[in-house]
Amino acid sequence: MTRDQEPQNRGPSGPEPERPRTAGPDADPGKGTGTGTGGGTERGGVTRLAQPHWIAYALAVLGAGLAWAVTLLADRLVEIPLIPFERPLELLGSVPQPWLTVGALCAGGVVGLLGGAVILHHELSLSVSAERTVLTREDRSRDIPRERIGLVCRDGKQLVVFGHEGEELAREECDLDAGRLAAAFTSYGYRWAAEDPYRDAFRRWVPDAPGLPAGADPLLRARDRTLRKSGADTADARELREELARLGVFVREVDKRQFWRTAPGAGSDRGQERGGPGGS
């Protein structure tokens, strides 16, 4: 397919993706819509989407409140038979006021703030512009040039970025609002779909499944062990997904069960089988 040809819009049996929606008939795809429609922060032609920082502050307040409640109940808690941490509670109750309350509020607030910072650190954030999309999680960023992206969609709790041949360039857990994501991408002229157009092409993975490229089955076995131990959104699971994508195998999971597909046209019989997962 040449660069001037229209990219494949329809999956093997999936719905036609939505056409891009811009802010108006004369909208410039090189300019974001800012916080008004994109739901993110626009700076220099870049829309940034991330979980709000008030989450960390809210957890700080919650931590301080819980610590204060423990100080109020410390004397009563030690009277309960078989209560754990009896000795620490007795020491806590021996601290004079107002130092007990002040110390508890500070300690609880700091613990809550650190917990919120850890949560935000593990959440996906995005920078979208007319030239590129950058996905950042923890200390790792993935820069995808605009010309490589054929379609973007939300698949359940995951954000999926497709190339022009139906291949997955990225699939990341994402708790950001779907409306905010759609507005941010379409404001720059990206094509957005309400759901994965290749959803029906996925089939359940079982060991030694026929049709898999060489080397894919061991990776799927290793990923299956990782999912059963921890979950889908771990570093090991993400790395194994990327290794499979390099082989042309794209994976999604439902309740720790893996489903796989290849890019359209990768094989004569691939993309014709049904029975992909109904959930996300």
Side-chain angles (χ1 to χ4, degrees):
M1 183 182 70
T2 65
R3 295 292 295 274
D4 295 331
Q5 289 179 319
E6 178 71 12
Q8 184 70 27
N9 291 344
R10 185 182 296 271
S13 60
E16 183 78 5
E18 297 177 4
R19 307 304 295 177
R21 301 184 300 275
T22 55
D26 299 321
D28 182 357
K31 296 181 179 179
T33 55
T35 57
T37 58
T41 302
E42 182 188 358
R43 295 179 182 176
V46 178
T47 299
R48 293 177 174 85
L49 296 170
Q51 294 293 350
H53 288 173
W54 62 257
I55 293 176
Y57 303 133
L59 288 176
V61 173
L62 179 62
L66 290 175
W68 179 60
V70 170
T71 63
L72 294 178
L73 299 174
D75 292 337
R76 296 181 181 180
L77 289 175
V78 294
E79 297 175 359
I80 300 176
L82 304 178
I83 188 74
F85 310 113
E86 179 179 357
R87 182 57 180 167
L89 287 172
E90 290 177 349
L91 292 174
L92 187 65
S94 66
V95 178
Q97 293 289 2
W99 304 114
L100 176 60
T101 299
V102 172
L105 290 174
C106 292
V110 169
V111 171
L113 188 63
L114 291 176
V118 170
I119 291 174
L120 293 176
H121 181 65
H122 286 280
E123 289 290 325
L124 181 71
S125 63
L126 297 92
S127 295
V128 184
S129 71
E131 292 79 25
R132 62 195 353 95
T133 292
V134 181
L135 294 83
T136 302
R137 185 190 300 277
E138 298 172 355
D139 295 322
R140 181 183 180 188
S141 293
R142 181 181 302 181
D143 188 323
I144 308 177
R146 172 67 178 88
E147 60 268 18
R148 291 189 61 198
I149 299 175
L151 178 70
V152 186
C153 82
R154 181 72 175 268
D155 182 21
K157 286 289 188 179
Q158 295 180 326
L159 179 71
V160 190
V161 182
F162 297 94
H164 296 286
E165 300 290 347
E167 72 278 18
E168 290 184 7
L169 304 179
R171 178 183 283 266
E172 292 282 351
E173 292 291 325
C174 179
D175 290 326
L176 294 169
D177 179 71
R180 294 175 60 194
L181 291 167
F185 279 103
T186 57
S187 68
Y188 291 101
Y190 291 84
R191 292 175 53 236
W192 175 269
E195 61 181 19
D196 186 346
Y198 304 100
R199 189 185 186 99
D200 289 341
F202 284 92
R203 43 182 160 168
R204 175 78 179 271
W205 172 76
V206 293
D208 300 317
L212 282 168
D217 193 72
L219 293 174
L220 285 163
R221 290 173 184 265
R223 194 168 187 274
D224 180 65
R225 291 192 295 269
T226 299
L227 293 176
R228 295 183 184 280
K229 289 180 181 178
S230 50
D233 194 29
T234 65
D236 284 344
R238 293 197 300 271
E239 289 176 4
L240 288 167
R241 183 199 299 279
E242 292 170 9
E243 289 292 332
L244 286 161
R246 294 188 186 99
L247 297 177
V249 178
F250 311 111
V251 186
R252 68 192 302 268
E253 56 278 328
V254 181
D255 298 329
K256 298 185 179 182
R257 295 173 299 163
Q258 296 187 101
F259 296 80
W260 66 276
R261 72 170 179 90
T262 56
S268 59
D269 60 338
R270 296 177 191 174
Q272 297 179 1
E273 296 192 27
R274 306 295 174 85
S280 59

